[in-house]
Amino acid sequence: MSQLKSVCVYCGSRFGADPAYKQAALDLGQALADHHWRLVYGAGDVGLMGAVAQASQAAGGETFGVIPTHLFQREVGKRDLNTFIITETMHERKKVMYMNSDAIVVLPGGAGSLDEFFEVLTWRQLGLHDKPIYLLNTNGYWDPLVTLNSHVVAQGFADQSLLDFVTVTDTVPALTDLLSAALT
């Protein structure tokens, strides 16, 4: 019997301005369950975080949530997960999420999602892991970030390999295909 594969999803605790962001989160939650991949995420029950978890649970998926004590009220800690962990700090939260995943997916989000993305990207750049990192670029949300990363490379602050560590995809079905190839 093969070990359960886990996908860490970083995303917003809000829905954002475009309804397509919520739909992508719902579709991803469904896809994770359909492929028997465990969702690892920030344990919130609000915004895109809540949407991806609710969709995964509704489809029978396994969920693993990690939330720091100071965000429990703000992000409405979702206690009905298969695994629910409360940490003392944000750093511990990110570490537990990372350590319990086989791939990283970043949906639209704000500063917290960017922090999580840049941390795993930096760790990859430093050779600390080789987990695949995916940006789900729903309706071009991450286009400015992709441009920024290219600018960093063009200006000599990172090698071309930085860009190779991130796969940008526009739809959940395309993302699912990429995850299927990476997680087999």
Side-chain angles (χ1 to χ4, degrees), residues 11 26 45 61 66 68-69 84 88 90 110 125 133-134 137 140 151 157:
C11 58
L26 293 170
D45 201 17
V66 186
T69 55
F84 180 72
E88 289 298 316
M90 287 293 288
Q125 182 183 29
I133 303 168
Y134 303 98
N137 194 26
H151 177 72
F157 288 101

Coordinates of all heavy atoms in Angstrom, one line a residue, residues 11 26 45 61 66 68-69 84 88 90 110 125 133-134 137 140 151 157:
C11 N -3.1 30.0 0.7 CA -4.1 30.8 0.0 C -4.7 31.8 1.0 O -4.4 31.7 2.2 CB -5.3 29.9 -0.5 SG -6.1 28.9 0.7
L26 N -12.6 25.8 -4.5 CA -13.6 24.7 -4.4 C -13.2 23.6 -5.3 O -13.2 22.4 -4.9 CB -15.0 25.3 -4.7 CG -15.6 26.2 -3.7 CD1 -16.9 26.9 -4.3 CD2 -15.9 25.6 -2.4
D45 N -11.3 28.5 8.6 CA -12.6 28.1 8.0 C -13.2 29.4 7.3 O -14.4 29.5 7.2 CB -13.6 27.6 9.1 CG -14.7 26.8 8.4 OD1 -14.6 26.4 7.3 OD2 -15.7 26.5 9.2
G61 N -12.4 13.9 1.3 CA -10.9 14.0 1.3 C -10.4 14.1 2.8 O -11.2 14.4 3.7
V66 N -3.2 23.4 10.3 CA -2.3 23.9 11.3 C -2.6 25.4 11.5 O -2.5 26.1 10.5 CB -0.8 23.7 10.8 CG1 0.1 24.1 11.9 CG2 -0.6 22.2 10.3
P68 N -1.8 28.8 14.2 CA -1.2 29.3 15.5 C -2.3 29.9 16.4 O -3.4 30.3 16.0 CB -0.3 30.4 15.0 CG -0.9 30.9 13.7 CD -1.6 29.7 13.1
T69 N -2.0 29.9 17.7 CA -3.0 30.3 18.7 C -3.5 31.7 18.4 O -4.7 32.0 18.6 CB -2.4 30.3 20.1 OG1 -1.2 31.0 20.1 CG2 -2.1 28.8 20.6
F84 N -5.9 18.2 13.3 CA -5.9 19.7 13.6 C -4.8 20.0 14.6 O -4.9 19.4 15.8 CB -7.3 20.0 14.2 CG -7.5 21.4 14.6 CD1 -7.7 22.4 13.6 CD2 -7.6 21.8 15.9 CE1 -7.9 23.7 14.0 CE2 -7.8 23.1 16.3 CZ -7.9 24.1 15.3
E88 N 2.3 27.5 18.5 CA 2.5 28.7 19.2 C 2.8 29.9 18.3 O 2.4 31.0 18.5 CB 3.7 28.6 20.2 CG 3.3 27.7 21.4 CD 2.2 28.3 22.2 OE1 2.2 29.5 22.5 OE2 1.3 27.5 22.6
M90 N 3.7 31.5 14.0 CA 3.5 31.4 12.6 C 4.6 30.6 12.0 O 4.4 29.7 11.1 CB 3.5 32.8 11.9 CG 2.3 33.6 12.1 SD 0.8 32.8 11.3 CE 1.2 33.2 9.6
G110 N -2.9 37.0 0.1 CA -2.2 38.3 0.4 C -0.8 38.1 0.9 O -0.1 37.2 0.5
Q125 N 15.7 27.2 -3.4 CA 16.8 27.8 -4.0 C 18.1 27.4 -3.3 O 19.1 27.2 -3.9 CB 16.6 29.3 -4.0 CG 17.8 30.1 -4.6 CD 17.5 31.6 -4.5 OE1 16.9 32.1 -3.6 NE2 18.0 32.4 -5.4
I133 N 6.7 23.3 -6.5 CA 5.9 24.5 -6.1 C 5.1 25.0 -7.3 O 5.7 25.2 -8.4 CB 6.9 25.6 -5.7 CG1 7.8 25.1 -4.5 CG2 6.1 26.8 -5.3 CD1 9.0 26.1 -4.2
Y134 N 3.8 25.1 -7.1 CA 2.9 25.5 -8.2 C 2.2 26.8 -7.8 O 1.7 26.9 -6.6 CB 1.9 24.5 -8.4 CG 2.5 23.1 -8.8 CD1 2.6 22.1 -7.8 CD2 2.9 22.9 -10.1 CE1 3.2 20.9 -8.2 CE2 3.5 21.7 -10.4 CZ 3.6 20.7 -9.4 OH 4.2 19.5 -9.8
N137 N -2.5 30.4 -11.1 CA -2.6 31.8 -11.6 C -4.0 32.0 -12.2 O -4.2 32.4 -13.3 CB -1.6 32.0 -12.7 CG -1.4 33.4 -13.0 OD1 -1.6 34.3 -12.2 ND2 -0.9 33.7 -14.3
G140 N -5.0 35.3 -14.1 CA -3.8 36.1 -14.1 C -3.4 36.8 -12.8 O -2.6 37.7 -12.7
H151 N 12.2 39.7 -13.1 CA 12.9 41.0 -12.9 C 14.1 40.7 -11.9 O 15.2 41.2 -12.2 CB 12.0 42.1 -12.4 CG 12.7 43.4 -12.1 ND1 13.2 44.2 -13.1 CD2 13.0 43.9 -10.9 CE1 13.7 45.3 -12.5 NE2 13.7 45.1 -11.2
F157 N 20.0 39.2 -9.3 CA 19.9 38.9 -7.8 C 19.5 37.4 -7.6 O 19.4 37.0 -6.5 CB 18.9 39.8 -7.2 CG 19.4 41.2 -7.0 CD1 19.0 42.2 -7.9 CD2 20.3 41.5 -6.0 CE1 19.5 43.5 -7.7 CE2 20.8 42.8 -5.9 CZ 20.4 43.8 -6.7

